[in-house]
């Protein structure tokens, strides 16, 4: 089973990165081959360690960014380039499915029908509410709302953190996806907890 994942950031200690790694860890265990395309800061790019994050079985394609806060504007461009490359080379038929976090990152994949039918989009929040630049918020919010609607209409499935958020999503856009959503709440990184436990056990057993 060949799986492709396109996610914003998986390296680092932020809550979003930890949650994403936890999900990808379980995804990798089920897939025969898994490619992960992700953004990273220059610091994390130099210090990244796949084994430390339990992602050593996946092939990770990192894209370093000089200005990480602008990833929401860069992701749609990368999505279009990446999806076009996959479509033209006929790789789409080999993919079991494509996992993407953020509707703005799914733009290119939802454009091609063959890819849209295999694309699962994770919607964890309304992106326009998280844009830090107030001066352009009203303008770009139209674009991000369009991406949300596109995902609801064309994606194979969507992933949401809770049934309540799904109801808010449907109510806001008045669009019901063709298939029920996958509910995956933002949880605790169990892998990290186990690593800490093992480390503490070793420290206790080591004589001083």
């Amino acid at each position: 089973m060949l799986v492709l994942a396109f996610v914003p950031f998986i390296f680092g200690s932020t809550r979003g990165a930890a949650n994403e790694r936890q999900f990808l860890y379980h995804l990798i265990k089920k897939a025969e081959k898994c490619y992960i395309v992700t953004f990273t800061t220059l610091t994390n790019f130099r210090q990244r360690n796949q084994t430390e994050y339990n992602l050593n079985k996946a092939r990770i394609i990192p894209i370093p960014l000089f200005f990480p806060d602008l990833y929401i504007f860069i992701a749609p461009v990368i999505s279009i380039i990446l999806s076009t490359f996959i479509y033209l080379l006929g790789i789409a038929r080999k993919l079991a499915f494509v996992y993407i976090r953020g509707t703005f990152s799914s733009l290119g994949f939802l454009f091609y029908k063959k890819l849209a039918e295999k694309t699962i989009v994770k919607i964890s929040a309304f992106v326009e509410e998280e844009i830090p630049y107030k001066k352009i918020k009203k303008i770009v919010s139209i674009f991000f709302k369009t991406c949300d609607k596109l995902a609801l209409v064309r994606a194979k499935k969507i992933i949401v953190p809770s049934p309540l958020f799904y109801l808010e999503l449907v109510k806001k856009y008045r669009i019901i996806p063709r298939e029920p959503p996958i509910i995956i709440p933002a949880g605790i990184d169990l892998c990290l907890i186990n690593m800490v436990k093992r480390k503490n056990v070793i420290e206790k057993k080591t004589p001083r």
Side-chain angles (χ1 to χ4, degrees):
M1 181 173 71
L2 177 60
V3 175
L4 172 66
F6 180 27
V7 294
F9 296 93
I10 59 172
F11 296 115
S13 57
T14 63
R15 184 179 62 179
N19 287 336
E20 210 57 57
R21 286 197 303 270
Q22 183 180 13
F23 177 79
L24 291 171
Y25 169 75
H26 294 288
L27 181 64
I28 292 167
K29 290 200 300 183
K30 301 293 183 180
E32 295 175 3
K33 288 184 180 180
C34 183
Y35 291 85
I36 302 174
V37 180
T38 183
F39 294 120
T40 177
T41 62
L42 294 179
T43 301
N44 288 333
F45 178 74
R46 291 192 294 266
Q47 298 177 352
R48 70 191 189 282
N49 187 327
Q50 293 183 214
T51 303
E52 179 184 351
Y53 293 129
N54 292 302
L55 300 176
N56 52 310
K57 292 183 179 180
R59 294 191 177 184
I60 299 179
I61 304 171
I63 303 175
L65 297 180
F66 289 95
F67 304 102
D69 290 340
L70 297 179
Y71 83 93
I72 57 176
F73 304 108
I74 300 172
V77 179
I78 299 298
S79 176
I80 293 171
I81 295 172
L82 183 61
S83 60
T84 301
F85 177 79
I86 291 171
Y87 181 80
L88 293 177
L89 291 183
I91 302 175
R93 55 188 172 83
K94 299 179 182 179
L95 289 169
F97 66 89
V98 180
Y99 166 68
I100 300 177
R101 179 180 177 177
T103 58
F104 52 90
S105 298
S106 67
L107 186 62
F109 290 87
L110 296 179
F111 178 79
Y112 298 103
K113 185 179 179 181
K114 289 184 179 179
L115 285 172
E117 292 174 346
K118 297 184 177 183
T119 300
I120 299 174
V121 183
K122 184 177 183 179
I123 309 175
S124 55
F126 296 112
V127 180
E128 67 271 12
E129 296 177 0
E130 300 182 351
I131 298 173
Y133 310 102
K134 294 181 180 180
K135 292 183 179 179
I136 61 171
K137 188 171 184 177
K138 291 183 179 180
I139 300 173
V140 298
S141 63
I142 298 173
F143 169 74
F144 290 115
K145 287 178 181 178
T146 302
C147 291
D148 286 348
K149 292 179 181 179
L150 193 63
L152 292 174
V153 173
R154 291 184 61 84
K156 177 183 179 181
K157 272 186 175 292
I158 63 167
I159 297 175
V160 292
S162 69
L164 181 60
F165 179 76
Y166 175 69
L167 291 176
E168 290 180 5
L169 201 62
V170 171
K171 185 179 179 180
K172 180 174 182 177
Y173 297 119
R174 298 181 181 180
I175 298 174
I176 300 177
R178 53 186 172 181
E179 292 192 27
I182 301 172
I183 309 296
I184 302 181
I188 300 171
D189 191 341
L190 298 178
C191 299
L192 179 60
I193 291 175
N194 290 331
M195 287 174 63
V196 172
K197 284 183 178 179
R198 287 197 297 269
K199 183 179 179 181
N200 289 338
V201 169
I202 292 173
E203 288 179 348
K204 287 180 181 179
K205 290 184 178 180
T206 304
R208 295 182 179 179

